[in-house]
Amino acid sequence: MHLNISMSFLLDKIEDELEMTTVCYRPEGLEQLEAQTNFTKRELQVLYRGFKNCIFYYHPSAVQYPNYSPVFHSFYPDASMYAHYLFNAFDTAQTGSVKFEGFVMALSTLLRGTVHEKLRWTFNLYDINKDGYINKEEMMDIVKAIYDMMGKYTYPVLKQDAPRLHVEVFFQKMDKNKDGVVTLDEFIESCQEVRTFLLSVQLILHY
């Protein structure tokens, strides 16, 4: 849900920008990026403007943590830790910086990728140490960051042990072999089971 909120905001920004005059700037390798992503040339131009001015402070050829824009914090005042984890997910090479090309490739996956591609990216976000597994400590860190970002603004107010309970439910459903960690295969399988169930419920309600 947290990803959907952030990405919906970004989509709205793109649509607003597209209604303005045509952007003249053309990032290098635009044609190649258009072929590698699900964005049009014009959308890539708009995204480049957002990359510089809206989401992150621009740093010559890349964005560098923690130079993310206060725009993000204007929507989520307690987002420091979540922004840190989100940045690390975009920083696939673990270099401490994110180039526009890497940023837009990830965004293409999140906004217009297949369900499988989106799940792989989300798994990477939760797999903080990038060892191919999600353990309870990693999930607790992510969940706490999300609750810090959103918890104070929910109604009813979340209980103090809500993150721990969330993590326990997560592992009950996703840790298929009960070995204390969740693999990518387990994560995708569990998410697809939930998706299939929800689609079935929608179909039943429709009829």
Side-chain angles (χ1 to χ4, degrees):
M1 182 180 71
H2 54 287
L3 281 175
N4 289 338
I5 294 172
S6 301
M7 295 308 141
S8 294
F9 165 69
L10 185 55
L11 272 178
D12 290 340
K13 290 293 294 181
I14 293 172
E15 291 174 357
D16 290 344
E17 291 282 350
L18 286 173
E19 293 177 358
M20 299 171 63
T21 56
T22 302
V23 182
C24 296
Y25 184 81
R26 291 167 60 88
E28 293 183 8
L30 188 65
E31 289 76 12
Q32 183 178 357
L33 280 176
E34 184 183 15
Q36 293 175 335
T37 67
N38 298 311
F39 295 121
T40 65
K41 291 180 181 179
R42 193 177 179 199
E43 287 173 327
L44 287 168
Q45 291 172 329
V46 173
L47 283 169
Y48 185 77
R49 289 180 59 180
F51 180 78
K52 290 198 304 180
N53 303 320
C54 180
I55 304 167
F56 296 105
Y57 288 129
Y58 185 64
H59 186 279
S61 62
V63 292
Q64 295 185 330
Y65 184 82
N67 293 328
Y68 42 82
S69 167
V71 170
F72 191 75
H73 290 277
S74 69
F75 284 87
Y76 308 111
D78 298 321
S80 296
M81 283 310 301
Y82 182 69
H84 169 76
Y85 295 132
L86 190 61
F87 184 94
N88 285 344
F90 277 94
D91 180 17
T92 55
Q94 301 298 293
T95 61
S97 64
V98 179
K99 292 185 177 181
F100 176 68
E101 291 79 4
F103 169 76
V104 81
M105 291 286 287
L107 207 59
S108 176
T109 295
L110 288 170
L111 295 178
R112 296 174 183 172
T114 65
V115 172
H116 193 275
E117 289 170 340
K118 292 177 181 178
L119 290 175
R120 287 182 65 91
W121 196 94
T122 304
F123 180 89
N124 181 62
L125 170 67
Y126 293 155
D127 180 16
I128 297 173
N129 63 8
K130 311 306 177 193
D131 65 352
Y133 303 93
I134 301 173
N135 59 43
K136 287 189 176 182
E137 289 74 19
E138 289 173 316
M139 180 54 62
M140 180 64 76
D141 288 342
I142 291 288
V143 171
K144 281 184 176 179
I146 295 170
Y147 276 59
D148 285 344
M149 181 175 65
M150 302 294 295
K152 294 180 180 179
Y153 308 99
T154 60
Y155 183 83
V157 177
L158 295 169
K159 295 181 179 180
Q160 190 171 2
D161 63 344
R164 181 185 61 80
L165 295 175
H166 188 121
V167 171
E168 290 300 326
V169 171
F170 175 91
F171 270 82
Q172 287 174 11
K173 293 182 177 180
M174 302 225 171
D175 184 10
K176 299 291 187 181
N177 61 2
K178 306 303 178 186
D179 63 349
V181 295
V182 174
T183 65
L184 176 61
D185 289 340
E186 287 176 322
F187 182 79
I188 291 176
E189 180 184 350
S190 298
C191 289
Q192 289 180 331
E193 286 175 355
V194 172
R195 182 170 181 268
T196 300
F197 172 75
L198 292 176
L199 288 174
S200 299
V201 171
Q202 288 178 351
L203 185 61
I204 293 171
L205 292 175
H206 178 73
Y207 287 102

